[in-house]
């Protein structure tokens, strides 16, 4: 081991074609492929250090000791990495975010991608981007898509090493924005890990998974051709399909709030009136309004003055995970 500390910076991502349900829950091998966009202005910065006296892993999030569940999840992930790289070191992890965590803004994606990058760097293990993406996936599936840059596709694969994400277009391919309308910023009650496990209980999940190659193809083409209308229709349909599965799982999961539905309807109305905007929602009530750079100003203005929206966070297409120089 060469370094005593390592810091990585990573961005969350918003899925255009969603990952929901696993074929293998332990390895997080997904039931279907997915496509996302990294979010540049939102970030998680994670510093990992190690010392011979550490008897177990330690986790601090935003300056406070993490609660037991989060600490246990991180420790389980670190244990998987220790086993894979044959290390017996314990780690002290300090993670900071500049956006609300656990509220459907994919904080686990930026958290586990940053953590995977920082731990491997600290241990002096050099891996390819593909291998790093696969490692990040073990912590949170969507984290594998925060490793490469820009617009990323996660190829589901069949085992640990062939389930990873790669960039399908760089950030400058299409200067899209995600204006996130935060209608609730408290942590969600049902974690996505729990939700993935319930996906198979919905009679709609099989149809959603079987239709995924069609949606992925349309989404890839829309990005390649900068075809906003095509993108808008496919991402809204994909988001609605995932939420239909969630709502019809046993037990059902209802992430939408009345305000979520209200904003979704408004977004469709704005698009019909000529503003390039489309909605998508992850495992939470907050609405991600995807728009072009020319419609961003007007969208932000409309969202900011809406009485049911607490906060608007805006992000352009982001870069991948990076290791920061030592301070
Ligand atoms: O990576 P997880 O286990 O937090 O699951 C993410 C699931 C969604 O955000 C709802 C969809 C996605 O593809 O990011």
């Amino acid at each position: 081991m060469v370094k005593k500390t390592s810091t990585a910076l990573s961005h969350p991502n918003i899925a255009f074609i969603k990952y929901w349900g696993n074929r293998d829950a332990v390895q997080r091998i997904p039931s279907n492929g997915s496509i996302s966009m990294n979010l540049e202005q939102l970030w998680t910065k994670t510093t990992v250090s190690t010392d011979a006296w550490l008897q177990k892993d330690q986790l601090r999030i935003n300056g406070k000791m993490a609660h037991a569940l989060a600490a246990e999840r991180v420790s389980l992930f670190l244990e998987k990495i220790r086993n894979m790289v044959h290390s017996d070191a314990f780690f002290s992890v300090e993670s900071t975010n500049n956006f609300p965590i656990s509220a459907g803004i994919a904080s686990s994606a930026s958290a586990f991608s940053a953590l995977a990058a920082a731990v491997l760097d600290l241990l002096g293990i050099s891996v390819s981007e593909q291998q790093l993406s696969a490692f990040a996936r073990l912590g949170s599936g969507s984290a594998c898509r925060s490793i490469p840059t820009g617009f990323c596709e996660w190829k589901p694969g069949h085992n640990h090493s062939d389930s990873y994400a790669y960039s399908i277009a760089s950030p400058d391919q299409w200067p899209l924005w995600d204006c996130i309308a935060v209608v609730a910023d408290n942590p969600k009650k049902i974690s996505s890990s729990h939700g993935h496990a319930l996906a198979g209980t919905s009679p709609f999940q099989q149809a959603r998974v079987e239709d995924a190659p069609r949606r992925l193809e349309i989404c890839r083409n829309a990005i390649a051709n900068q075809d906003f209308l095509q993108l808008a229709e496919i991402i809204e349909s994909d988001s609605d399909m995932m939420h239909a599965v969630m709502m019809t799982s046993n037990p059902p999961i209802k992430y939408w709030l009345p305000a979520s539905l209200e904003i979704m309807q408004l977004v469709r109305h704005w698009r019909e009136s000529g503003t390039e905007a489309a909605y998508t929602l992850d495992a939470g009530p907050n609405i991600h309004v995807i728009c072009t750079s020319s419609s961003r100003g007007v969208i932000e203005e409309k969202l900011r003055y809406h009485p049911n929206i607490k906060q608007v966070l805006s992000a352009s297409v982001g870069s991948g995970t990076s290791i920061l120089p030592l301070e």
Side-chain angles (χ1 to χ4, degrees), residues 13-20 22 28 34-36 73 104 106 108-109 139-143 145 154 188 191-193 196 242-243 246 255 281-284:
N13 63 73
I14 177 65
F16 288 171
I17 303 298
K18 312 285 188 190
Y19 147 56
W20 196 246
N22 287 308
R28 296 182 203 270
S34 51
I35 292 180
S36 60
R73 181 165 174 193
S108 66
S140 161
S142 56
R145 296 188 313 241
W154 175 8
K188 59 191 171 215
S191 69
S192 34
S193 300
H196 290 298
M242 178 182 74
H243 284 271
M246 292 162 162
Y255 286 118
L281 285 83
D282 274 350

Side-chain angles (χ1 to χ4, degrees), residues 1-191:
M1 197 179 307
V2 191
K3 291 182 175 177
K4 277 221 145 186
T5 172
S6 172
T7 301
L9 179 83
S10 191
H11 305 282
N13 63 73
I14 177 65
F16 288 171
I17 303 298
K18 312 285 188 190
Y19 147 56
W20 196 246
N22 287 308
R23 241 184 296 158
D24 174 340
V26 177
Q27 301 257 37
R28 296 182 203 270
I29 309 294
S31 306
N32 61 278
S34 51
I35 292 180
S36 60
M37 145 182 164
N38 287 343
L39 304 175
E40 183 69 13
Q41 285 74 7
L42 310 182
W43 48 256
T44 298
K45 209 186 270 186
T46 299
T47 299
V48 180
S49 51
T50 188
D51 237 312
W53 56 262
L54 273 176
Q55 300 288 307
K56 61 182 182 108
D57 299 315
Q58 292 182 347
L59 172 66
R60 289 174 72 81
I61 302 178
N62 295 340
K64 291 191 199 132
M65 284 304 280
H67 61 74
L69 269 180
E72 195 187 325
R73 181 165 174 193
V74 161
S75 210
L76 267 174
F77 172 66
L78 292 171
E79 192 59 30
K80 284 183 188 168
I81 297 215
R82 274 190 285 268
N83 288 339
M84 291 181 111
V85 303
H86 310 294
S87 162
D88 54 8
F90 289 109
F91 302 100
S92 167
V93 178
E94 184 92 44
S95 189
T96 331
N97 305 276
N98 74 342
F99 61 97
I101 53 175
S102 303
I105 313 178
S107 54
S108 66
S110 49
F112 282 101
S113 49
L115 181 58
V119 169
L120 291 176
D121 181 65
L122 181 70
L123 293 170
I125 295 171
S126 79
V127 289
S128 64
E129 180 182 273
Q130 192 172 305
Q131 288 168 319
L132 183 56
S133 171
F135 270 117
R137 191 203 73 239
L138 294 171
S140 161
S142 56
C144 74
R145 296 188 313 241
S146 282
I147 298 287
T149 189
F151 298 91
C152 300
E153 177 159 357
W154 175 8
K155 175 177 86 75
H158 297 94
N159 53 49
H160 170 68
S161 50
D162 76 352
S163 185
Y164 56 86
Y166 48 92
S167 180
I168 55 169
S170 63
D172 56 13
Q173 157 67 19
W174 197 6
L176 292 179
W177 281 78
D178 179 6
C179 300
I180 309 168
V182 179
V183 295
D185 52 11
N186 44 321
K188 59 191 171 215
K189 291 200 182 78
I190 299 173
S191 69

